[in-house]
């Protein structure tokens, strides 16, 4: 495992930094922080030496800094547990700017990401970071599982299991911990990695969410790492719950989501010189506009999802 270090000379050593990127969602941020209060590194952390072993950084991606009072109201509770909690303002809009700032501010040799609309399950941090100790240099990245949280609403009948990936949930690669295969992916909202992997790298700021936009794929940086040999370990028991906002529980939102996934994928392929896909399809936009997507079910819904993805992919040609 990487050697922990102190953010200040003579201060306690910090092994891992938990980074939360947030944007104008103070209530969700509060719930996320509350889920972290009881988290521990595990008995192996710090080699048994006293002192701090992890910190929490909240990277506030809003010039209004709505997250500051949320952080300040909880700093004392974390301090009682020996965990420093810091608020860092990153006013440049975009989750990639926030992630890059989190990496730059992190004192730990290990960095763990959790999103502001997620809550950590019991034992999350210990389970997520344990492979770094047990497997040593054989592991570079660890990914956990994400469970959907529908809040007070029931899960919609039309939302099938194979559509959960579109909501960044349920990777479902295995019931046991193991190394991921090259074709198996994970989400940025529940992962940990060695900070040294970021040397010379940064999350691409032309990709990823900005405000209410739906561009994605800033996590392509992890694909870069893996293509260069970074071994990724999957721990299904390191779970977080992801709140699915009620506004997203519509087929219409899903169509918009898939359109921008198509845009994001083509921009990513162009950026990295990957061969682009070609499809032959004709779309009558007037007829498409008349389709009530909220009535679609089963294979008809899946066909519409594919169509909106293809439309976004084709539209990316006109985007810079």
């Amino acid at each position: 495992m990487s050697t922990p270090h102190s953010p200040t000379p003579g201060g306690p050593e910090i092994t891992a930094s938990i980074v939360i990127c947030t944007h104008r969602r103070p209530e969700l941020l509060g719930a996320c922080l509350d889920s972290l209060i009881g988290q521990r590194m595990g008995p192996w952390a710090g080699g048994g030496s006293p002192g701090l072993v992890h910190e929490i950084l909240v990277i506030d991606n809003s010039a209004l800094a709505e997250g500051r009072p949320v952080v300040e109201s909880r700093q004392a509770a974390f301090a009682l547990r020996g965990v420093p909690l810091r608020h860092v303002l990153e006013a440049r809009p975009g989750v990639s700017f926030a992630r890059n700032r989190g990496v730059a501010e992190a004192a730990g040799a290990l960095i763990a990401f959790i999103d502001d609309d997620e809550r950590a399950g019991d034992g999350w941090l210990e389970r997520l970071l344990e492979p770094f100790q047990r497997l040593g240099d054989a592991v570079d990245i660890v990914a956990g599982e994400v469970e959907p949280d529908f809040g007070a609403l029931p899960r919609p009948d039309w939302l099938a299991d194979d559509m959960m990936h579109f909501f960044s949930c349920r990777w479902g690669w295995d019931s046991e911990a193991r190394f991921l295969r090259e074709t198996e992916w994970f989400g940025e909202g529940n992962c940990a990695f060695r900070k040294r992997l970021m040397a010379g790298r940064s999350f691409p700021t032309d990709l990823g969410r900005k405000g209410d936009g739906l561009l994605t794929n800033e996590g392509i940086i992890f694909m870069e790492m893996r293509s260069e040999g970074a071994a990724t370990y999957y721990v299904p028991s390191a779970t977080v719950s992801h709140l699915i906002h009620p506004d997203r529980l519509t087929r219409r939102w899903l169509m918009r989501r898939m359109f921008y996934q198509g845009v994001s994928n083509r921009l990513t392929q162009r950026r990295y010189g990957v061969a682009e896909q070609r499809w032959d399809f004709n779309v009558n936009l007037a007829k498409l506009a008349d389709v009530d997507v909220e009535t679609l079910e089963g294979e008809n819904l899946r066909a519409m999802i594919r169509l909106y993805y293809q439309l976004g992919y084709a539209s990316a040609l006109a985007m810079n």
Side-chain angles (χ1 to χ4, degrees), residues 1 14-19 35-45 53-56 78 83 110-114 119-133 142 144 190-193 235 237-240:
M1 185 167 182
I14 289 179
T15 302
S17 300
I18 302 175
V19 175
S35 75
L36 297 176
I37 287 180
Q39 300 288 332
R40 297 181 179 182
M41 290 277 297
W44 48 267
V53 292
H54 75 275
E55 66 175 353
I56 300 175
F78 279 97
V83 178
L110 300 175
I111 298 175
F113 278 142
I114 184 171
R119 289 176 297 168
D122 292 342
W124 167 75
L125 184 62
E126 181 175 356
R127 293 170 181 171
L128 190 69
L129 299 186
E130 184 271 344
F132 291 105
Q133 168 68 13
V142 177
N190 184 12
C191 69
F193 56 96
V235 182
S237 63
T239 59
V240 301

Side-chain angles (χ1 to χ4, degrees), residues 232-272:
T232 303
Y233 199 74
Y234 172 66
V235 182
S237 63
T239 59
V240 301
S241 62
H242 175 211
L243 181 65
I244 311 298
H245 194 279
D247 290 348
R248 299 183 177 186
L249 291 175
T250 67
R251 299 169 181 86
R252 191 165 300 281
W253 181 88
L254 182 55
M255 296 308 122
R256 182 167 172 259
R257 161 78 175 84
M258 295 312 298
F259 178 90
Y260 280 100
Q261 186 65 63
V263 173
S264 301
N265 283 5
R266 191 156 197 178
L267 291 178
T268 300
Q269 290 172 352
R270 184 185 303 169
R271 177 187 181 94
Y272 291 99

